[in-house]
Structures are given as C-alpha cells and as structure tokens.
Amino acid sequence: MEPFEVPDVVVLRLPLYVRALTQLVAEETEVVSSQQLGRRLQMTPAQIRKDLSYFGRFGKQGRGYSVSFLLKELRRILGLDRQWRACVVGVGRLGRAIINYPGFAPEAFKIVAAFDSNPQQIGNTVGDLQVQGMFALSQTVQERDISIGILAVPAAQAQSVVDQLVESRVRGILNYAPVAPQAPKGTVMMNIDPVLSLQSMTYYLKNLA
Amino acid sequence: MEPFEVPDVVVLRLPLYVRALTQLVAEETEVVSSQQLGRRLQMTPAQIRKDLSYFGRFGKQGRGYSVSFLLKELRRILGLDRQWRACVVGVGRLGRAIINYPGFAPEAFKIVAAFDSNPQQIGNTVGDLQVQGMFALSQTVQERDISIGILAVPAAQAQSVVDQLVESRVRGILNYAPVAPQAPKGTVMMNIDPVLSLQSMTYYLKNLA
C-alpha cells in the first residue's frame, strides 16, 4: 500500500528513519519498538506510528518492528533499492567537492557526468569524470540514463540551467544555489536551505556565550 | 525555563515552527491550536506539545497558543532576537552566491566579511564586501564581532579552514563542503547534508516514473 498523497514533511522524515534503522542494523538490533525508535529520533511513538501508517502495517501490536524488514521496506518506498544516476552541473569548487564526495555511492546515488558552461572547463578531469559542455547535456542524459541533476552553478545561472535540465528530461534537481528557481510540474526540486541550519545553530551559540 | 539539555533533533525542528508561525502572522491568525499547527507541519499535536514543553508553558489548556507570543518566544529561545554577524570563507561560485543571497538578512544574519586563501581574490569586491586574505581572519573576526563562519571552500581545505576559524574564536560553523571536518568542543558545526535531500527526492521520482 502506497497511497500517492503522503504529506511532504512525512517524506522528508523517512530518510531519518532509514538512517536510525541502518545504525540499529549495525548494532545487530533485530527488533525495535516505536518507543525505542522514538527515543533515538526524539519523536513520540505516536508520531512514528502515524508516519509509518501512511505506508501500511509494519509491526504487530505490542511486538515492535523487525529492524531489517522495516529498513528494507522504507528503502523500497523511498526508491533506494535501485541505483540513481546523477550529473553535476557546474565544476567550480562546490561541484568538484560534490563529485569527489564519498557519501553518495553507498546511498544508491552515482554521479556519472559533469557539465560546465565555461569552455575552459570542458575536457578537464574531475574525479574520474571528464567535464562536458552544456551542449552535450541532452544526449548524455539520455545515453547514461541520468535522472538527477545537482546544481552547483552561480545563482544568476540557476534558472537557465534548471530549464536546460528539464528540457533534457532530468526530473530531479538538487539545487545548491541559494535561490529558488522555478521548475514545471512533474519535476522534483529540492533546495538546500542554509537559513534553517543557521537558525538551529544560534540556539547553541547563544547557550555557549 | 530553558534547560540546557534539549535534544538536538528538537532544536532542529524549532525553525520549522518559527517558519509556520511567521506564515500565520502574515495571515493575521492570532491563535493556533496544536492541532492546527500540527496539520500545517504534519506532526501530531502531542509531538508539538512535547517539543514545546522543553521550553515552558506557552498555551492555556484548550485555548491554543497566541501566535505572536509563541513566535516571539521561539525566536528568543533560538537567539533570533538579535543580529548574528557571519563571514564567508571561500569566494568561488558558492561563496559569491551565499554573499549575494537576500534570505539571510531578514532572518537575523548579516554577512560582514569575506575571506579567501587565493591571493588573486584578495581585494576583489563581492556584493559590498572586499575579499580579505586568510591572514586577516583573526583581526577582522574580533573587530567586527563575527560569531559564524560559512565555509564554501574545497573539501580538501575544509579542515584547515575550520582550524583557523576556531583559532580566531568563531564558534559557529556552517559547512557546505560535503565532508565532515572535526571541531573542538564548544564549537557548533552544522554540515549541509545532500544525501538526506536526495533520499526524499527519489520517493517522488519513483512515483513520477
């Protein structure tokens, strides 16, 4: 059971569950109650049960969840039981760092292409990728079956690159530029939001002072 | 009442409350129940009451919360009732975009300095800031009362810049490099984590396909 209308904020919480359950598997915990999972994530058991209830029944009343089963199911629900191919657009400092980040591969993501609009970057090697010009975007996306574009371009170029990605049928866009470009329906855009992080940080800073 | 030991995940959720309450103020809503706030954030009323209970009593039983009072209190708790001065280290594409981002100022953050280790960047103007060399970090941090450093440097330089920021007594660091540098106790490091965003994105991509 996977009804289409799961609230966005619930979907945004699922990766936190996946992370906690992955830790539990590493600790060789086989069964976890919503109380225990709640303590780890500082969420009430009822909130956890409600979130999970959107996707079916995972536990038996009073018995807790099978850690490995729940993890497997959540990974399947999130689409993490397959590999997703991504490209990076913009090979400045950030783009290079993203390409060389070791954290994507174990999590079902593989960066298979890099693009830049600057002719001087074309042909350069970043990680084990050769930087391509934007003119090659559409063909490479098709040939290499790329679903996700990671935007690491200047803010002023973000909208134009989004348009090009959408035209090339890239449906998922992770935007690092601190602007919010528009994308048509049927595209999934995630914006990295620095303000939320800063607003939590100041809580601690205030208490340090 | 502000006990020191509020769980991190609760602190990370507070900015979401601030955002929702800010919207409610804009809509001229004066009172909100935990049910209504819960619908907006897709959280159970009990979760919301529990999160808020760490900080005292904000509502009267059965009466709901005063939107403006709760917003003011949460902003105070998060330390958003004052201005925080930040510097950006690294003025490549990302650093420039951050400096020019209009979203920080209304949220109590002001970027007052920019640094780069590349001598060719020193003296350049970004936004209304003149880029300084790293050798000027310590003095500028002190003179301009900077508490937050935003890291937009290549991954390989992240640790060294964190060390320099810590030595200059910058206590809050927002790290955009997809690595996790170490910082001593008494420093607050927030890492932008692209994997969590991608793991939610694939839920939607899978359902689009």
Side-chain angles (χ1 to χ4, degrees):
Chain A
M1 187 176 89
E2 276 174 54
F4 195 70
E5 276 307 330
V6 179
D8 290 353
V9 284
V10 174
V11 175
L12 290 173
R13 282 196 288 263
L14 293 187
L16 300 175
Y17 292 153
V18 166
R19 191 162 286 190
L21 290 163
T22 304
Q23 285 168 357
L24 286 166
V25 165
E27 294 162 15
E28 301 186 356
T29 305
E30 290 182 2
V31 176
V32 69
S33 66
S34 46
Q35 282 78 7
Q36 291 165 323
L37 202 51
R39 269 198 295 279
R40 213 164 258 253
L41 293 163
Q42 281 300 318
M43 293 171 64
T44 61
Q47 180 74 56
I48 288 173
R49 286 193 297 265
K50 180 150 193 277
D51 284 355
L52 295 180
S53 74
Y54 282 104
F55 306 99
R57 294 177 67 82
F58 295 107
K60 289 194 186 116
Q61 192 65 38
R63 288 264 199 97
Y65 304 104
S66 154
V67 172
S68 62
F69 177 72
L70 183 55
L71 176 58
K72 199 173 153 220
E73 283 299 293
L74 289 181
R75 290 189 62 93
R76 185 186 61 72
I77 288 163
L78 282 170
L80 302 175
D81 53 350
R82 51 160 282 192
Q83 194 185 62
W84 295 87
R85 291 163 158 252
C87 65
V88 169
V89 183
V91 294
R93 290 173 170 193
L94 177 68
R96 287 168 186 274
I98 292 167
I99 290 166
N100 291 310
Y101 180 47
F104 290 123
E107 298 293 351
F109 301 102
K110 185 165 185 184
I111 296 172
V112 299
F115 300 92
D116 203 290
S117 60
N118 179 352
Q120 299 198 309
Q121 289 283 12
I122 298 170
N124 287 349
T125 301
V126 182
D128 53 6
L129 301 176
Q130 202 164 33
V131 180
Q132 298 179 279
M134 291 302 287
F135 53 82
L137 183 69
S138 191
Q139 194 183 340
T140 302
V141 163
Q142 205 182 339
E143 281 175 4
R144 306 234 48 196
D145 190 22
I146 292 170
S147 341
I148 296 171
I150 301 176
L151 235 71
V153 300
Q157 289 173 25
Q159 185 65 57
S160 139
V161 172
V162 166
D163 294 344
Q164 289 174 76
L165 285 167
V166 169
E167 209 168 293
S168 303
R169 307 206 175 182
V170 173
R171 310 292 281 276
I173 298 173
L174 179 65
N175 171 35
Y176 265 92
V179 291
Q182 300 299 306
K185 234 185 144 190
T187 309
V188 185
M189 172 97 76
M190 296 270 175
N191 295 301
I192 299 279
D193 185 342
V195 169
L196 287 180
S197 299
L198 287 177
Q199 287 182 331
S200 297
M201 180 193 287
T202 50
Y203 172 80
Y204 297 102
L205 289 179
K206 196 193 63 157
N207 286 327
L208 278 177
Chain B
M1 186 175 89
E2 277 175 53
F4 194 71
E5 277 306 331
V6 179
D8 290 352
V9 283
V10 174
V11 175
L12 290 173
R13 281 195 288 262
L14 292 187
L16 300 176
Y17 293 153
V18 166
R19 192 162 285 190
L21 290 163
T22 304
Q23 285 168 356
L24 286 166
V25 166
E27 294 161 15
E28 300 184 358
T29 305
E30 290 183 4
V31 176
V32 70
S33 65
S34 47
Q35 280 79 6
Q36 289 165 323
L37 202 50
R39 267 198 297 280
R40 215 164 257 252
L41 294 163
Q42 281 299 319
M43 293 171 63
T44 61
Q47 179 74 57
I48 288 173
R49 287 192 297 265
K50 179 151 194 275
D51 283 356
L52 296 179
S53 73
Y54 282 104
F55 307 99
R57 294 176 67 82
F58 295 107
K60 289 196 184 112
Q61 193 64 40
R63 287 265 201 98
Y65 304 104
S66 153
V67 171
S68 61
F69 176 72
L70 183 56
L71 177 59
K72 199 173 153 219
E73 283 300 291
L74 289 182
R75 290 189 63 94
R76 186 186 58 74
I77 288 165
L78 282 170
L80 302 175
D81 54 350
R82 50 161 281 193
Q83 194 185 62
W84 296 87
R85 292 163 157 251
C87 65
V88 169
V89 183
V91 293
R93 291 175 170 192
L94 177 69
R96 287 169 185 272
I98 292 167
I99 290 165
N100 290 312
Y101 179 47
F104 290 122
E107 298 293 350
F109 301 101
K110 184 165 187 186
I111 296 172
V112 298
F115 300 92
D116 203 290
S117 61
N118 180 352
Q120 298 198 312
Q121 291 282 12
I122 298 170
N124 287 348
T125 301
V126 182
D128 52 5
L129 301 176
Q130 201 165 33
V131 180
Q132 299 178 278
M134 290 301 288
F135 53 83
L137 183 69
S138 192
Q139 195 183 338
T140 302
V141 163
Q142 204 181 339
E143 281 175 5
R144 307 234 48 197
D145 191 20
I146 292 169
S147 339
I148 295 171
I150 301 177
L151 235 71
V153 299
Q157 290 174 25
Q159 184 64 58
S160 140
V161 171
V162 166
D163 295 344
Q164 290 172 77
L165 285 167
V166 169
E167 209 168 293
S168 302
R169 307 208 175 180
V170 173
R171 310 292 282 275
I173 298 172
L174 179 65
N175 170 35
Y176 265 93
V179 290
Q182 299 300 305
K185 238 188 137 182
T187 308
V188 185
M189 172 96 76
M190 296 271 175
N191 295 300
I192 299 280
D193 184 342
V195 170
L196 287 180
S197 299
L198 287 177
Q199 286 182 332
S200 297
M201 180 193 287
T202 51
Y203 172 80
Y204 297 102
L205 289 179
K206 196 193 63 157
N207 285 327
L208 278 178

